[in-house]
Amino acid sequence: VQLQACGGGLVQAGGSLRLSCAASGFTSDYVAIGWFRQAPGKEREGVSCISRSVGTTYYADSVKGRFSISRDSAKSTIYLQMNSLKPEDTAVYYCASIENDGDWDREDEYDYWGQGTQVTVSS
């Protein structure tokens, strides 16, 4: 299994970015892909998650209404559209995979992780 995240960058507050996670090597659709982030000096936290099979989505309260997770028709790329970005969204963002029956916001439930991509939001 391979997960590769990209799309981070520097943006002003109020701006938008779209992160992508290329996912490959899965032998089953019974997995979900989650996005986590880790800011300097803070613990890694769950941001959002989507099941590859049926597309069920989950969001942290801090990003509801601003972020949107989706997948392409081949279910091989997961997107995180981030709008109305705030300085507190600054973090390294990671994508990871989890069995569908796991708790989406618990990082210890995830099996595979991609490398992070830096998102910096300036005020």
Side-chain angles (χ1 to χ4, degrees):
V1 173
Q2 285 193 327
L3 299 164
Q4 189 161 10
C6 66
L10 173 63
V11 65
Q12 288 188 332
S16 299
L17 280 175
R18 188 176 79 160
L19 305 183
S20 299
C21 176
S24 62
F26 294 104
T27 58
S28 166
D29 261 355
Y30 195 64
V31 295
I33 305 296
W35 285 97
F36 280 73
R37 66 186 181 186
Q38 187 165 23
K42 294 187 177 181
E43 293 186 354
R44 193 150 52 182
E45 63 172 350
V47 175
S48 183
C49 184
I50 185 168
S51 70
R52 292 182 78 225
S53 56
V54 297
T56 305
T57 59
Y58 307 87
Y59 296 95
D61 288 343
S62 59
V63 305
K64 279 180 182 175
R66 300 188 299 122
F67 291 11
S68 176
I69 193 169
S70 62
R71 70 199 195 290
D72 67 357
S73 58
K75 305 174 187 178
S76 60
T77 303
I78 308 301
Y79 303 100
L80 184 68
Q81 178 67 41
M82 306 186 296
N83 299 327
S84 301
L85 282 162
K86 304 175 181 180
E88 51 263 45
D89 294 317
T90 295
V92 177
Y93 284 70
Y94 302 86
C95 59
S97 66
I98 183 175
E99 294 291 331
N100 261 10
D101 56 357
D103 290 331
W104 80 269
D105 57 349
R106 287 187 54 175
E107 72 172 290
D108 60 353
E109 297 266 354
Y110 285 75
D111 305 302
Y112 299 96
W113 290 81
Q115 87 291 355
T117 184
Q118 176 71 48
V119 171
T120 303
V121 184
S122 63
S123 57

